[in-house]
Amino acid sequence: MANVKARLFTLTISAAGTFALVYSLHRLYLEPARLDWIMVLALTMLLSWRAEVWIPGIRSKITLSDTFVWIAMLMLGPWAAAVLASIDGLARSARGSKTNPGAAALINMSAMNLSVLSASLLAVRFFGPLDGLLYGADRLDKLVLAIGVITLTNYLVNSGITAMAVAFFRGRSVARTWIEHYLWTSPAFFIGAAAAGVICKAITVFGFYSFVMSLPILFLTYVAYRSFLGRVETSYKHIEGLTKLHLATVESLTMAIDAKDDLSRGHIQRVRKMADGLGRAVGYPEDQMEGLKAAALLHDIGKLAVPEYILSKPGKLSAAEYAKVMIHPVVGADILSNVEFPYEVVPIVKHHHEKWDGKGYPSGLKGEEIPFGARILTVVDCYEALTTNRPHRPRYSREEALELMRSEAGRTFDPAILEVFLENIDSLDEQIPAVSARPVSLPGVEPVAGDGLPQQTFGLGARTPTEKALRDIASAQREALSLYEISQTLGSTLKLSEILPIVAAKLENIANFTTLVIYLADGNRMQAACVTGKNAEALKGLEIAVGEGGAGWVAEHRQVLIGGSPLADLQRPLGMAAAAYRSTAIFPLEHDDNLVGTLALYCEEDRGYSADEVRLLETISRHTATAIHNALAFERTQESALTDNLTGLPNSRYMYSFFDQERSRSERHGYPLVLMMMDLDGFKKINDTYGHHVGDEILRRIAHVSRGQVRSGDTLIRYAGDEFVAVLHRVTPDLVQEMKSRLQAAVDSFAYEVRPGRIARVGISIGHATYGQDGTAIDELMEVADQRMYQDKIARRRNAPPLRVVSFPARTAAV
């Protein structure tokens, strides 16, 4: 669309300018002007066409030749001035655009002659022939006004045509282009016009020699102005150099952040290259292209505020974690707002996660409300993310990624930009470096090479300080993530039977070994509680005395043993097979100066462990020792836990401590608290008839049924035997009665098939007491609730037949 506008505008202006030139020549033929002055002004103008000064920082320049065109306007009239302006425009185009010189020449010529012709005709319309103003001694004031009208009109028309041409070709706003590049040229127009007026007036008084004398003055003025603007240009370049230095500094920091993620390393550089290519393909303004590349480089800098464990989480993010990720565009924009970029960097960074349909973040912008550069960045960022590995998924193939992106046209992506992206994907892919996968053993260390020495994974044989620094950052990040994963996993369980296999599995991905053994201390002896790797079955249950062999020595002295012989530990259980093992690394497992056990790595290769490996394994050993200690403590105290083993409900010990807390809350917040006592009807007969194992199963199921009838905020407790207690808060008498009826109906409808054809049923009697009304101490409430429960039991017996074990035909199933 932008190219169509540009072509249409070029044709229109070129036609108008050509017509203006032809018509001016025709009028000169009909109304001849002084040919000698036309020749002098044309020659002087051509000789001075190189006398131009570019205004620093913008795409505009000041020329000396304009002064001679204005002299022609005042002395020779509109038609001669239009012809000279056309010659000036064509002369300037001689070293203009090389891509389309014909179009550039027509635009330059047309802009010059249309602006000059419109300005001079307007002045003639208001003030009459301009040469008459020059020669009239009493018309100086009108001459000044006429020069003002000429200058303003010429400036507006000339700069407007040029700004529109540039804006249409580059797909930018006309007003913005004019303000940025042509607003600041206005002083040059007024200075040149004033100089032309003074020279013309001098000619009328002193003759042709005053024109000759003005030429050196104009030249010296040009030299002074060029010298001044040259110093300004030097300062501008100095500032530009500082800006590039700042950007290079930020780029280095960004690369360091990028190096922290092993899976997505290089993502930022790839996005920047693709954004550059796509930006040029869709016609992004050339003078803003550096801003687009800077935004692509810095678009993820806000992830500094997102915890590493979220960015590296292997599974799906929770709503809270995703909300944390969503802040990174705003944080990035806030960070970059302190840098005064000369480009549209901050808006692009802030809005690169907006969606075309308005469902993106952070601002929910829709359609063309989203900055042009942000829409470009959205496309390339998504493609690059889809085609590289991520912690939560493997990479998509290029075809799969493009198909997914096609389905999001008009929803996530600007359809026009996506279409151009799909058309140019082959050339864009060629611009980015290939993504390489690097297997790792220990963070930062490749699997052992043939010489037995560990090889660094990142920047293998780093050749520059930058490569070495990025390699070290990447290694440290992988180490931190490994420790985080182990700590998180170990903290997820208190069962020793789960902890030991977890440690073994994690170490398989971190360290090189043939066999791993975790010994647990028991007095003066240690036993192999977990073994993985070669000969695992033969080593399970192996016992070693503290002080015996390598593992025993480590347990006795609480020191790390690296490189010792494994024979002392393995020869007895493995016999001749132990000779295959060449080296070992054994670490003590200690918690608060108490020996928990040892962690032993036995290796068939004669290798050493680097300082980084030893440090990492020592850290893992400390985490492992703490986890094992906690698991053992949990097992020792499990019998006195507050949970009923049969039903999984809280037990009576829990009830007393819990009720005190609920009572305090009730008093503090002023809500009612009710204690409900429940006792099963007919349960003793089931125990007597079928045994306690059937009774226990019925208790488990009744507990499950009852738990489903109380509210999620209430607490159901197995008090003793077949008695249960419920603690209800924020209830009314009607709600208590409703809950009682619901519980009794659920239990009454429960049936348990003891064996085919034999169904057992129980009932439940319920009484309740309200805190404050029936007592304040738990024993008082229990007593009142118990009395009401027995009253309920008597009433139920009176109104219903006795509950009993019943039999049905064998085909009948349990309810």
Side-chain angles (χ1 to χ4, degrees), residues 746-764:
V747 174
D748 287 346
S749 63
F750 167 79
Y752 176 69
E753 187 176 25
V754 180
R755 56 177 178 266
R758 300 292 291 176
I759 302 298
R761 295 178 181 275
V762 294
I764 190 168

Side-chain angles (χ1 to χ4, degrees), residues 315-337:
K316 183 179 179 180
L317 297 181
S318 67
E321 290 169 336
Y322 187 65
K324 190 67 176 176
V325 171
M326 288 172 63
I327 71 170
H328 83 270
V330 176
V331 173
D334 290 342
I335 293 172
L336 299 177
S337 64

Side-chain angles (χ1 to χ4, degrees), residues 519-551:
Y519 298 95
L520 295 185
D522 184 11
N524 291 324
R525 300 195 65 79
M526 294 193 304
Q527 185 177 43
C530 180
V531 185
T532 187
K534 188 175 180 179
N535 299 314
E537 289 299 323
L539 294 174
K540 282 182 180 178
L542 172 65
E543 289 192 0
I544 294 178
V546 173
E548 176 187 342

Side-chain angles (χ1 to χ4, degrees), residues 56-119:
I58 62 176
R59 300 177 58 84
S60 300
K61 57 187 176 181
I62 299 172
T63 61
L64 192 58
S65 59
D66 289 338
T67 303
F68 303 111
V69 175
W70 286 320
I71 292 174
M73 269 193 275
L74 295 173
M75 293 185 61
L76 306 177
W79 316 115
V83 172
L84 289 174
S86 299
I87 296 172
D88 187 25
L90 291 173
R92 294 186 191 183
S93 302
R95 53 194 179 101
S97 173
K98 295 182 180 179
T99 56
N100 196 350
L106 286 173
I107 284 290
N108 285 338
M109 179 198 74
S110 301
M112 289 292 294
N113 66 26
L114 288 175
S115 60
V116 166
L117 193 59
S118 59

Side-chain angles (χ1 to χ4, degrees), residues 176 282 284-285 288 292 295 343-356 361-379 412-414 417:
R176 184 170 181 176
V282 299
Y284 193 75
Q288 289 291 316
L292 177 62
Y343 314 107
E344 193 181 43
V345 175
V346 175
I348 296 175
V349 171
K350 183 175 182 179
H351 298 296
H352 76 278
H353 278 291
E354 304 285 359
K355 293 186 177 182
W356 183 255
Y361 62 88
S363 302
L365 300 184
K366 184 176 182 180
E368 294 189 359
E369 294 175 349
I370 306 170
F372 189 17
R375 284 178 267 152
I376 295 172
L377 189 55
T378 299
V379 172
T412 297
F413 308 116
D414 181 335
I417 293 177

Side-chain angles (χ1 to χ4, degrees), residues 695-771:
D696 287 347
E697 183 61 28
I698 289 178
L699 281 175
R700 274 196 294 269
R701 299 196 180 201
I702 291 296
H704 178 72
V705 170
S706 302
R707 188 68 191 88
Q709 299 304 315
V710 299
R711 300 172 305 175
S712 59
D714 297 330
T715 303
L716 182 65
I717 298 164
R718 186 190 178 193
Y719 180 64
D722 61 345
E723 293 182 325
F724 296 86
V725 172
V727 179
L728 316 175
H729 64 280
R730 302 180 190 275
V731 288
T732 62
D734 291 340
L735 186 58
V736 172
Q737 189 60 42
E738 178 191 346
M739 190 174 297
K740 173 183 175 181
S741 301
R742 193 166 61 244
L743 277 164
Q744 290 179 331
V747 174
D748 287 346
S749 63
F750 167 79
Y752 176 69
E753 187 176 25
V754 180
R755 56 177 178 266
R758 300 292 291 176
I759 302 298
R761 295 178 181 275
V762 294
I764 190 168
S765 299
I766 302 175
H768 73 276
T770 303
Y771 175 74

